[in-house]
Amino acid sequence: VTEKLGESVQRRAADYLPSCSTVKDALSASSVGIKGDGVSSMHDATEGGVLGGLYELAEASVRRIEVDPLRIFVSEETRKICSLFRLDPLTTLSEGTLIITCSKKKTDQVQRKLSRAGIPSYVVGEVVKEGPSGLLLVGNERRAKRYLPPYYDPYWNAYSRAVKKGWR
């Protein structure tokens, strides 16, 4: 993999391992308050990626979540690795990513708390009470589209192929 991505990308990607926990993120965000006073839900976007996690949150809360996929941050390392393995970075393993919903009036405060803890955060959409539940992908460059997750996370097939090729 290092030969294909370069040593710098490999090293930066390996440095992600310590940030796979979302405990610090959850404690920082919830310190603002919970329910109507702040954070209303949190979900680790491990299996199925960010879009899978958002879909699960929408279904569990019986709400519609509208998200612009272009606003979801994807690091350079993640883009390159996913490209190498032909994976969509928004639908594959995203361990260490915490999805947070909170009241609109507390969004800035939650983001400041996360920032003070050294945790970057991004507003990528909103929870909508009216209409059918589920995840709706919206944005200027495409029509709104209902998201249905794949049956399984594509990461596992890519991992299996890499092991068979002897990649480490």
Side-chain angles (χ1 to χ4, degrees), residues 58-59 62-65 128-136 146:
E59 292 299 309
V62 192
R63 295 281 192 261
R64 185 171 76 238
I65 297 179
V128 180
K129 291 182 182 179
E130 295 80 32
S133 65
L135 179 59
L136 194 64
R146 204 166 211 10

Side-chain angles (χ1 to χ4, degrees), residues 4 12 21 43 45 54 57 59 117 124 143 146 159 168:
K4 297 184 182 303
R12 291 192 319 262
S21 171
H43 185 42
L54 287 163
L57 262 181
E59 292 299 309
V124 299
R143 290 183 12 206
R146 204 166 211 10
Y159 178 80
R168 299 184 320 144

Side-chain angles (χ1 to χ4, degrees), residues 43 56 104 145 150:
H43 185 42
E56 289 172 355
K104 282 186 180 184
K145 177 178 143 185

Side-chain angles (χ1 to χ4, degrees), residues 73-131:
F73 174 77
V74 179
S75 71
E76 174 192 4
E77 298 81 19
T78 300
R79 282 188 199 285
K80 287 182 176 183
I81 291 168
C82 284
S83 176
L84 177 65
F85 290 97
R86 295 184 306 272
L87 296 170
D88 177 350
L90 300 183
T91 63
T92 192
L93 200 66
S94 297
E95 190 169 357
T97 299
L98 183 65
I99 299 169
I100 301 169
T101 62
C102 65
S103 67
K104 282 186 180 184
K105 64 184 178 199
K106 296 288 185 158
T107 301
D108 290 341
Q109 195 175 350
V110 168
Q111 285 195 286
R112 279 194 301 276
K113 282 279 190 174
L114 291 166
S115 179
R116 282 188 211 124
I119 303 163
S121 63
Y122 308 89
V123 176
V124 299
E126 66 179 312
V127 178
V128 180
K129 291 182 182 179
E130 295 80 32

